[in-house]
Amino acid sequence: MRCPYCGSLETQVKDSRPTEDAASIRRRRVCPDCGGRFTTFERVQLRELTVIKKTGRRVPFDRDKLMRSVEVALRKRPVDAERVERMVSGIVRQLESQGDAEVHSDKIGELVMEGLRSLDSVAYVRFASVYRNFREARDFHTLIDELAQGDPDEPPPPKPKLSTRA
């Protein structure tokens, strides 16, 4: 593994351990040339995925790009990094196990929306505003109304009882 600080190829692994969800291995590394320390992650890759963009262009799937998009939506939100990692890993597993080597970008966007909806409603709205290309405030109102209605399969929360005392 190349050192991100000096470019040396002689880095050493100091510690390896599985992540909480056991989907990857976290390795602490040190460079003997410059003394730099850094972390790498090793993950299983079931298949090479290709993303078909809305324009029809095909690009290799990039897990890091997916993670950056989710992190942008979650910026300054109180969500544990481990939960974010589990969500992204789950999306990647779904995509890899669907049996197709090519996946439409719309499918990825919908999976991210689904994951963010259960993770953090503010991040969900942020991501949706970019993903669905919101043009006016009315678009936000529509999405927030959908969010407030919740899942149609889920029963509505009980209404608070009003006090009859005056």
Side-chain angles (χ1 to χ4, degrees):
M1 177 66 61
R2 183 182 304 274
C3 174
Y5 305 111
C6 72
S8 171
L9 292 173
E10 301 300 319
T11 60
Q12 299 169 345
V13 175
K14 289 299 181 187
D15 179 50
S16 290
R17 64 182 66 176
T19 57
E20 266 186 39
D21 64 354
S24 61
I25 296 175
R26 179 182 184 269
R27 299 194 193 283
R28 283 297 291 156
R29 296 179 179 266
V30 66
C31 175
D33 294 342
C34 72
R37 293 178 177 270
F38 58 100
T39 302
T40 60
F41 290 88
E42 181 179 315
R43 292 181 183 82
V44 172
Q45 184 173 346
L46 296 176
R47 68 177 72 231
E48 290 287 327
L49 292 174
T50 301
V51 178
I52 303 170
K53 301 289 209 170
K54 290 178 184 174
T55 62
R57 197 175 55 136
R58 287 169 162 70
V59 296
F61 176 77
D62 184 353
R63 185 186 196 284
D64 293 333
K65 182 177 178 184
L66 174 62
M67 182 61 106
R68 284 190 305 273
S69 299
V70 171
E71 286 172 344
V72 166
L74 285 163
R75 189 168 290 143
K76 296 187 180 182
R77 298 297 303 152
V79 177
D80 183 45
E82 194 65 37
R83 290 181 67 203
V84 177
E85 180 64 34
R86 274 195 308 269
M87 183 191 94
V88 170
S89 292
I91 290 170
V92 173
R93 264 194 309 275
Q94 275 184 275
L95 294 171
E96 289 178 337
S97 64
Q98 73 181 358
D100 231 350
E102 293 186 334
V103 61
H104 288 271
S105 59
D106 291 346
K107 173 71 173 168
I108 298 170
E110 291 302 323
L111 290 172
V112 171
M113 294 261 301
E114 191 178 298
L116 285 175
R117 185 173 186 150
S118 63
L119 206 58
D120 184 87
S121 59
V122 172
Y124 170 75
V125 172
R126 286 177 179 169
F127 186 86
S129 70
V130 174
Y131 174 65
R132 292 186 179 169
N133 199 18
F134 286 4
R135 297 280 186 210
E136 2 181 296
R138 180 179 32 226
D139 298 332
F140 285 95
H141 288 291
T142 304
L143 182 72
I144 290 169
D145 288 344
E146 288 173 19
L147 191 59
Q149 290 172 3
D151 186 0
D153 297 333
E154 191 176 295
K159 293 184 180 178
K161 293 182 181 178
L162 299 174
S163 175
T164 53
R165 289 188 286 184

